Amino acid sequence: NLLFNYGSRQEINDAIKKIKKIKRPSNNLKQYLYVPESNDPDLIIRTGGEIRLSNFMLWQSAYSELYFTRVLWPDFKISNLNKALDNFILRKRKLGR
């Protein structure tokens, strides 16, 4: 997923508003998010040297692996992606366990 002009707090607020309008809502908050059929990300790559999620996919990123790089988005090349993927492959994922 590549998201532009997106705010996760707003997405969660909008989901709650949807739920409040339904007589018998599901217990699964995810189905009220903007793209409920999308899988949660396995890896989130944060470019530009910032070490934070910055309101990005807060609900969906609960078990995502995070990769931070100083490379700015416009300069991010396939070699940078390969480096991030190489790093990701070496991780032992616990998925909350």
Side-chain angles (χ1 to χ4, degrees):
N1 293 327
L2 185 60
L3 304 170
F4 293 95
N5 195 20
Y6 161 85
S8 188
R9 285 184 176 182
Q10 187 61 52
E11 177 181 33
I12 294 168
N13 282 333
D14 289 346
I16 292 168
K17 288 176 188 174
K18 287 180 196 175
I19 291 168
K20 289 168 87 175
K21 293 179 181 179
I22 299 171
K23 288 183 182 180
R24 300 182 115 183
S26 166
N27 288 333
N28 184 1
L29 178 69
K30 183 177 179 174
Q31 85 177 52
Y32 301 101
L33 298 177
Y34 293 158
V35 187
E37 64 278 359
S38 176
N39 293 328
D40 293 344
D42 293 314
L43 174 65
I44 294 176
I45 300 171
R46 175 61 198 248
T47 60
E50 301 295 340
I51 304 176
R52 63 175 187 258
L53 288 177
S54 298
N55 196 24
F56 182 79
M57 297 188 87
L58 298 176
W59 181 267
Q60 300 90 329
S61 66
Y63 300 114
S64 300
E65 297 292 321
L66 305 175
Y67 181 83
F68 301 99
T69 178
R70 290 182 173 271
V71 178
L72 297 172
W73 171 246
D75 302 323
F76 195 80
K77 308 267 187 277
I78 193 73
S79 60
N80 302 111
L81 177 60
N82 287 335
K83 186 175 177 183
L85 294 174
D86 288 344
N87 179 280
F88 174 73
I89 289 169
L90 296 175
R91 298 182 186 194
K92 181 174 177 6
R93 301 205 57 210
K94 297 179 184 175
L95 301 168
R97 292 176 246 144

